[in-house]
Amino acid sequence: MSEIDSENSASALPPPAVPASQPYAAPTVPRRHSSASGWLWLLALIAGAGYLYWRLQTIEQGHDQSAQNEQTQAQQLRAQVDALARSVEATRHDADGLRARLDDAAKVNESLRGQVLGLSERARLAEDAIANLAEKRLSGHDALLLNEAELLLVLGGERYALFSDPAPALAAYRLADGALAEANDAAFSSVRQSIAAEIDALNALQAANVPAVQTQLTQLRTKLAQLPAAASRMQAAAPATSARWWQIFGELVRVRRDGDTQALLAHNDAALARALVDTSLRDAQAALLARDEAHFRGALATARAQLGANFDTSSADVTQAQAVLDELAKATIAPAAPSVLGAALKELRNLRATRALRSEPAPPAKTAPTPVEGQS
């Protein structure tokens, strides 16, 4: 192809210029050379036609390939569109299902709301019924407990007023608090607070331990038999240096005052002295049980005086017994009543009176009498 093109380009060149001085003469071409160029032109045309045919085939194949690619892409796009359509349809179907479920849930919520309102109304009615039942039970179970609590508070207060003994009063107040704790009505909780304040006040009292004092007095009575008695007063009054006639007639004639008879007899009789001290100690025990503080201190003072008069004060046992009596005389067996004692009982009675007034039915309204016929 390059050789043919070069020949064609060479043949296309213009003929060489002829000088003007020389006349023009037609060139002489040999016949053989012209036939060869014709074949060359034919071959060039055939090659150009082949080239054109090849280019057309290549272009057609490219067009076919691109058409196939476009058709494949179109099919893929069509498949994707179909898939998207199916997905949209499924999504629409799911949305319809969800919408239907939401409608059903809304209906269920409406029914549940109605049921909740009905249940709240029933709960309110049940609360009213329970309140009415509690009001009715107040006249039964609670009334018995309140009666028991009031009785125990009265017993505790009167016990302390009569005997000034905090321990039984505390026991009664604790039982009353337990009775009120079992009551269903919460309005009486304030009474329990008052009871707790009175219990604290009773616990704060500096009262002697009565059983311990009784035990100490009993031990003193038991030790009386071991205490040494004092020497006889008649023997001390008649020394060995006295006159002979006093030693003879002193056994027959004794001079004493009437007020010293009992003391003199006790001084001379150890059994009688022990009996007198034992009687005084018994009297102190009785006064201790009765919470009679003045009588208790008087009996202890009498017993101490008898110990000093009729027993040997130089003995350690007698001195220890007197020390015990002095210590017992300082004990407080009847402390003053606290100022808050009785407040819980008053509060309980006031609450019960208020409850009774509320529970009483209202009196019926008075109606005007109907006129009798014939009367204006």
Side-chain angles (χ1 to χ4, degrees):
M1 289 293 293
S2 61
E3 292 178 355
I4 293 173
D5 291 337
S6 62
E7 289 178 359
N8 288 333
S9 61
S11 62
L13 294 175
V18 179
S21 61
Q22 292 179 9
Y24 177 77
T28 56
V29 178
R31 186 178 289 251
R32 186 177 178 180
H33 180 72
S34 58
S35 61
S37 61
W39 284 106
L40 292 175
W41 280 105
L42 181 61
L43 290 174
L45 290 175
I46 292 172
Y51 176 75
L52 290 176
Y53 179 78
W54 176 77
R55 289 293 298 173
L56 290 175
Q57 289 294 327
T58 304
I59 292 171
E60 288 180 358
Q61 290 179 358
H63 284 298
D64 294 338
Q65 186 70 25
S66 62
Q68 291 179 359
N69 294 335
E70 290 177 356
Q71 186 177 3
T72 304
Q73 291 179 357
Q75 291 177 356
Q76 292 177 353
L77 290 175
R78 191 178 297 108
Q80 291 179 359
V81 169
D82 294 339
L84 288 175
R86 287 192 298 271
S87 177
V88 169
E89 186 66 23
T91 304
R92 185 180 297 108
H93 181 70
D94 294 340
D96 294 338
L98 290 175
R99 190 177 296 107
R101 290 181 182 179
L102 288 175
D103 293 338
D104 295 339
K107 295 178 181 179
V108 171
N109 289 334
E110 287 292 335
S111 63
L112 289 177
R113 187 179 293 108
Q115 293 179 3
V116 168
L117 292 176
L119 289 176
S120 62
E121 184 66 20
R122 291 181 182 179
R124 187 182 63 81
L125 295 176
E127 289 177 357
D128 294 340
I130 291 173
N132 295 330
L133 180 62
E135 291 291 337
K136 291 180 180 180
R137 288 190 64 185
L138 183 62
S139 61
H141 176 262
D142 286 358
L144 292 176
L145 292 175
L146 295 177
N147 290 334
E148 181 182 358
E150 184 175 356
L151 176 61
L152 290 170
L153 290 176
V154 171
L155 289 177
E158 293 299 326
R159 173 63 186 242
Y160 192 84
L162 291 174
F163 302 105
S164 299
D165 190 2
L170 282 172
Y173 273 87
R174 290 192 178 98
L175 290 175
D177 182 69
L180 288 177
E182 296 179 3
N184 295 324
D185 194 351
F188 296 96
S189 58
S190 59
V191 182
R192 296 188 61 193
Q193 295 177 0
S194 300
I195 292 175
E198 295 187 19
I199 290 175
D200 294 338
L202 290 174
N203 284 325
L205 292 176
Q206 300 295 331
N209 190 358
V210 175
V213 175
Q214 287 280 8
T215 302
Q216 288 179 338
L217 291 174
T218 303
Q219 292 176 355
L220 284 178
R221 291 176 52 199
T222 304
K223 292 180 179 179
L224 286 177
Q226 302 175 1
L227 298 180
S232 176
R233 182 177 298 179
M234 294 303 297
Q235 295 177 1
T241 57
S242 60
R244 182 65 179 176
W245 61 272
W246 175 260
Q247 295 179 3
I248 295 174
F249 294 101
E251 298 293 333
L252 302 176
V253 180
R254 295 181 182 178
V255 180
R256 63 181 179 269
R257 292 192 298 266
D258 292 338
D260 297 336
T261 303
Q262 183 179 0
L264 183 60
L265 292 175
H267 191 79
N268 294 325
D269 191 352
L272 179 60
R274 289 185 175 87
L276 291 176
V277 176
D278 186 72
T279 302
S280 298
L281 294 178
R282 285 178 180 272
D283 193 13
Q285 287 180 331
L288 178 64
L289 294 177
R291 295 303 189 278
D292 189 353
E293 191 164 353
H295 195 179
F296 176 73
R297 295 180 188 278
L300 291 180
T302 302
R304 192 184 189 292
Q306 290 172 351
L307 284 176
N310 301 323
F311 291 88
D312 188 5
T313 55
S314 61
S315 175
D317 294 337
V318 176
T319 304
Q320 183 180 2
Q322 289 178 341
V324 171
L325 291 176
D326 293 338
E327 187 67 25
L328 293 178
K330 298 177 183 178
T332 302
I333 62 174
S339 59
V340 297
L341 199 65
L345 179 60
K346 293 180 182 179
E347 186 176 358
L348 177 60
R349 287 176 175 174
N350 291 335
L351 284 177
R352 296 194 69 183
T354 305
R355 286 284 180 172
L357 291 176
R358 290 181 181 177
S359 60
E360 287 181 358
K366 295 182 180 180
T367 57
T370 57
V372 182
E373 293 181 0
Q375 294 182 358
S376 55

